Amino acid sequence: MSAPLSDASTGGRLATAAGLTATLLLVAFLGWSWHTSRLPDSYSVMDMGVVDLGGGAPVDLAGHAAHGGTPAGGTSLVSLSGPRSGAPDVEVTVEARQGRFELASGEELDGYTLNGTSPGPELRARQGDLVQVTLRNVDVEDGTTLHWHGVDLPNAEDGVAGVTQDAVRPGDEHVYRFVAEDAGTYWYHSHQVSHEQVRRGLFGVLVVEPAKATGHDVDAVAAVHSYSGRRTVNGRTGISRLDAEPGDTVRLRVINTDNGRLRSWVTGGAYRVLAVDARDLNEPPPVEDEQLVLAGGARADLELVVPADGALRLDIGGGTALVVGPSGADVLEQPAPDADLDLLDYGSPAPLGLDATRFDRDFDYDIGRRPGFLDGKPGNWWTVNGKLLPDVPMYLVEEGDVVRMTIRNDSGDVHPMHLHGHHAVVLSRNGVEASGSPWWVDSLDVLDGETYEIAFVADNPGIWMDHCHNLDHAAEGLLAHLAYAGVTTPFRMGSETGNEPE
Ligand code: C2O
Ligand code: CU
């Protein structure tokens, strides 16, 4: 015998069924999200992302098979190399190793070295020199590469594993050849498992001196890096010294090789910012009582004048500093000034060399964050234009395009955005137009809540990364690509290929 079903119990069952359906749908959705987030074991950057024409003319999609183009055709970026023949003016071999090493100041660490040290050798070239660097991987297990950060060089020399070359396996070599066209301060670092290799030491400095000497008495580098929380300048913790005589003018090239912002300040005199990211500023005035803030990956060339009766001091925090002056002269540590130098209105305006009133393409680079799956892993991941990797933008351009990019950050964190192969000029921040010297960058901090408009000329064909230089963020998917119509790559990434650029 069966009891008649009461309305209440029918309602209850219906509710249970509805709940079950909702749960099943949710599980199905999560399963689908998980599944579609997984990256293939081997894939081409050409098949990645969402093609974005920036409102400009349609382009040749050769090689972008997944985007409705032909699978083949186009020009392989391998042909976009530096000069293959000719005797180099600067020729170096750097050997990459993994393991224990000593900082210049003596502390022992576990990480990566180039020619036995970290930072690796300081490379110096003169503008116009043909530079040849042979990277020999002695025993870096994951393989490695060298990327020339900030150098607008031919695409095939860019050193990005899985995009412009294969990672160099232990026992193998790779030769980079390029003409150092633009003077300035640069650095080089691995672009294979970079979030791990760079942090633990696989980087060095490249200075390209101008063809005509600048007339400074002293020209030196202050490369800042944190090794497991130890703040260093040129691989030294504590106070290091740079010898200079009273009255000397010093060009000090400050380089932020860390993921986070670098705050530094000068005690004992004023400083002028002669250049940022290897581009001279126009009529930079002296700065006092303001901190210099550099994005991850960014550089600034400071001019210091050694006082008649003492020395100057560059502090980077954590008690680590560089004293510039005659031996014996000392400067006491002063607290960091409260104010920051703002480059948006520093120096005097000058022609940009591009028409910033009309653009062939107008791109958005919106940075956000949301829960989801990244290559099958659940988490609260970065998004670009609302999407998670691999559905990030593939910004397509044609050679000669004048491009505007609007970078918006609503992700709750700061991101040092870095475009390979190009310099971009800052047009505005939060709607306020740049009013100082033209401010050209390759690494630009975009704080949470900020919007920057930048512009550049697409004058360097290739496939270029455009990513956050907090390398942990890049490894978490905060990246996109700038690709030129018709340029293809034969290289692939994914677990099966051994190429893992971030
Ligand atoms: Cu210095 Cu793609 O990086
Ligand atoms: Cu970031």
Side-chain angles (χ1 to χ4, degrees), residues 204-353:
V205 171
L206 168 67
V207 173
V208 179
E209 294 167 0
K212 236 175 57 217
T214 58
H216 289 100
D217 300 300
V218 177
D219 182 320
V221 158
V224 173
H225 193 77
S226 302
Y227 297 87
S228 319
R230 293 180 186 84
R231 308 277 292 147
T232 65
V233 174
N234 302 330
R236 291 174 183 277
T237 54
I239 311 291
S240 359
R241 301 199 63 103
L242 173 64
D243 281 330
E245 295 305 314
D248 274 0
T249 57
V250 178
R251 188 181 190 100
L252 187 62
R253 301 164 183 273
V254 184
I255 308 172
N256 182 10
T257 68
D258 277 332
N259 282 335
R261 316 184 88 190
L262 167 64
R263 301 181 151 277
S264 60
W265 63 99
V266 173
T267 306
Y271 66 91
R272 294 199 305 143
V273 185
L274 301 179
V276 167
D277 287 0
R279 293 297 179 270
D280 289 343
L281 298 184
N282 187 44
E283 300 179 342
V287 181
E288 256 175 305
D289 297 323
E290 282 181 336
Q291 294 193 56
L292 173 75
V293 187
L294 284 182
R299 293 85 62 211
D301 296 11
L302 306 186
E303 185 177 75
L304 308 172
V305 182
V306 182
D309 57 347
L312 295 146
R313 164 179 176 136
L314 176 84
D315 268 278
I316 62 158
T320 299
L322 179 69
V323 173
V324 182
S327 56
D330 247 322
V331 199
L332 289 182
E333 180 172 1
Q334 293 288 322
D338 293 327
D340 295 341
L341 172 64
D342 188 354
L343 294 171
L344 197 69
D345 60 4
Y346 178 69
S348 327
L352 299 181

Side-chain angles (χ1 to χ4, degrees), residues 6-368:
S6 74
D7 280 357
S9 127
T10 308
R13 284 189 197 197
L14 280 176
T16 312
L20 195 63
T21 310
T23 307
L24 282 173
L25 279 173
L26 181 65
V27 166
F29 173 72
L30 288 175
W32 174 81
S33 305
W34 173 82
H35 182 78
T36 56
S37 81
R38 287 169 68 220
L39 298 170
D41 296 337
S42 167
Y43 63 99
S44 167
V45 67
M46 313 280 312
D47 297 332
M48 215 176 127
V50 179
V51 161
D52 188 336
L53 295 174
V59 302
D60 171 13
L61 281 173
H64 295 265
H67 304 125
T70 54
T75 309
S76 166
L77 63 78
V78 173
S79 67
L80 303 171
S81 72
R84 291 265 157 86
S85 60
D89 303 292
V90 175
E91 188 175 358
V92 208
T93 296
V94 289
E95 297 191 330
R97 288 186 180 79
Q98 179 167 11
R100 294 200 76 74
F101 72 99
E102 255 182 34
L103 288 178
S105 47
E107 297 90 337
E108 217 188 288
L109 289 172
D110 193 44
Y112 302 89
T113 57
L114 292 165
N115 291 357
T117 62
S118 176
E122 179 180 317
L123 308 183
R124 285 219 173 220
R126 206 164 263 290
Q127 196 172 5
D129 278 358
L130 175 58
V131 178
Q132 175 176 316
V133 179
T134 303
L135 167 65
R136 186 173 295 151
N137 180 2
V138 178
D139 59 3
V140 177
E141 232 180 289
D142 287 333
T144 193
T145 67
L146 294 181
H147 163 64
W148 306 91
H149 185 112
V151 185
D152 298 338
L153 44 55
N155 195 216
E157 315 296 339
D158 198 40
V160 181
V163 180
T164 65
Q165 67 172 96
D166 283 323
V168 183
R169 315 309 319 177
D172 287 351
E173 287 188 354
H174 184 91
V175 180
Y176 300 91
R177 282 170 67 93
F178 58 90
V179 174
E181 308 258 10
D182 303 305
T185 306
Y186 304 95
W187 60 300
Y188 58 93
H189 62 77
S190 167
H191 224 304
Q192 161 76 352
V193 199
S194 59
H195 74 286
E196 166 85 10
Q197 295 188 4
V198 179
R199 180 171 56 84
R200 296 175 65 195
L202 214 158
F203 71 93
V205 171
L206 168 67
V207 173
V208 179
E209 294 167 0
K212 236 175 57 217
T214 58
H216 289 100
D217 300 300
V218 177
D219 182 320
V221 158
V224 173
H225 193 77
S226 302
Y227 297 87
S228 319
R230 293 180 186 84
R231 308 277 292 147
T232 65
V233 174
N234 302 330
R236 291 174 183 277
T237 54
I239 311 291
S240 359
R241 301 199 63 103
L242 173 64
D243 281 330
E245 295 305 314
D248 274 0
T249 57
V250 178
R251 188 181 190 100
L252 187 62
R253 301 164 183 273
V254 184
I255 308 172
N256 182 10
T257 68
D258 277 332
N259 282 335
R261 316 184 88 190
L262 167 64
R263 301 181 151 277
S264 60
W265 63 99
V266 173
T267 306
Y271 66 91
R272 294 199 305 143
V273 185
L274 301 179
V276 167
D277 287 0
R279 293 297 179 270
D280 289 343
L281 298 184
N282 187 44
E283 300 179 342
V287 181
E288 256 175 305
D289 297 323
E290 282 181 336
Q291 294 193 56
L292 173 75
V293 187
L294 284 182
R299 293 85 62 211
D301 296 11
L302 306 186
E303 185 177 75
L304 308 172
V305 182
V306 182
D309 57 347
L312 295 146
R313 164 179 176 136
L314 176 84
D315 268 278
I316 62 158
T320 299
L322 179 69
V323 173
V324 182
S327 56
D330 247 322
V331 199
L332 289 182
E333 180 172 1
Q334 293 288 322
D338 293 327
D340 295 341
L341 172 64
D342 188 354
L343 294 171
L344 197 69
D345 60 4
Y346 178 69
S348 327
L352 299 181
L354 62 80
D355 179 2
T357 60
R358 55 160 294 280
F359 299 94
D360 300 298
R361 302 193 190 269
D362 220 330
F363 294 122
D364 286 316
Y365 200 129
D366 278 4
I367 306 165

